[in-house]
Amino acid sequence: MVNFAYSDGPRLLAEGGLDLRESGADLRVLLVMELSTAGSQPSAVFVSDITTLDEHNGANYARQSLSAQAVMKNGAPDYDTKLTAANVVFPNLGVGSRKCRGAIVYVHSGADSANRLLYWIGHSGFPFDANGLNATIAWNTAGVSRLKPA
């Protein structure tokens, strides 16, 4: 589950400009290392707005697509809505210059100047050292994110 939503994501949802379902937006995940400022810039809008991205630089690293996305509504007692997805696997992730500090979920549109930031993830499992094995972001039962009524 996310630590925070970047400021523009909730606005896009509220305006109907973002479809989180599998058939909707092309959501992707990138990994950042210890020098990244991504976890302290919740007002950033695009990936290129992150002052220091410090994206993972180990062998075999590539940004990964979020897959099997679904939006689910829960009943009592929470009456919340959550985004679920398949776990994200970074296959055979090679050692980077620094530890992986967190992940960013973003809407892929092409260049980083057009890729809109959605979520910062820096919870359990981070930081970690890549070691050439698969690195997996496993979503908990709360899903990738939740919208909860006031």
Side-chain angles (χ1 to χ4, degrees):
M1 181 122 152
V2 303
N3 289 74
F4 67 78
Y6 287 98
S7 61
D8 206 43
R11 181 193 62 79
L12 285 171
L13 284 170
E15 292 177 352
L18 180 59
D19 183 354
L20 296 175
R21 297 171 297 173
E22 178 74 16
S23 61
D26 180 2
L27 302 184
R28 298 197 186 176
V29 181
L30 65 86
L31 292 174
V32 296
M33 297 182 295
E34 292 176 311
L35 299 180
S36 178
T37 57
S40 62
Q41 291 187 254
S43 62
V45 175
F46 300 100
V47 172
S48 62
D49 292 341
I50 301 296
T51 305
T52 303
L53 186 59
D54 198 26
E55 191 165 2
H56 186 72
N57 59 7
N60 305 316
Y61 171 74
R63 296 177 181 188
Q64 297 297 311
S65 294
L66 202 61
S67 64
Q69 298 144 230
V71 175
M72 304 173 68
K73 182 179 179 206
N74 293 322
D78 294 326
Y79 296 104
D80 63 348
T81 301
K82 66 182 178 179
L83 168 64
T84 62
N87 293 339
V88 177
V89 178
F90 292 86
N92 306 312
L93 189 63
V95 176
S97 351
R98 289 167 293 289
K99 290 183 178 194
C100 289
R101 174 177 180 226
I104 296 172
V105 178
Y106 67 96
V107 180
H108 179 72
S109 298
D112 280 350
S113 59
N115 291 339
R116 289 189 178 271
L117 298 164
L118 288 182
Y119 305 119
W120 166 255
I121 301 156
H123 56 70
S124 61
F126 289 103
F128 69 87
D129 285 310
N131 58 9
L133 301 175
N134 290 351
T136 301
I137 297 175
W139 310 114
N140 64 25
T141 57
V144 177
S145 67
R146 277 179 25 171
L147 295 173
K148 191 168 182 169

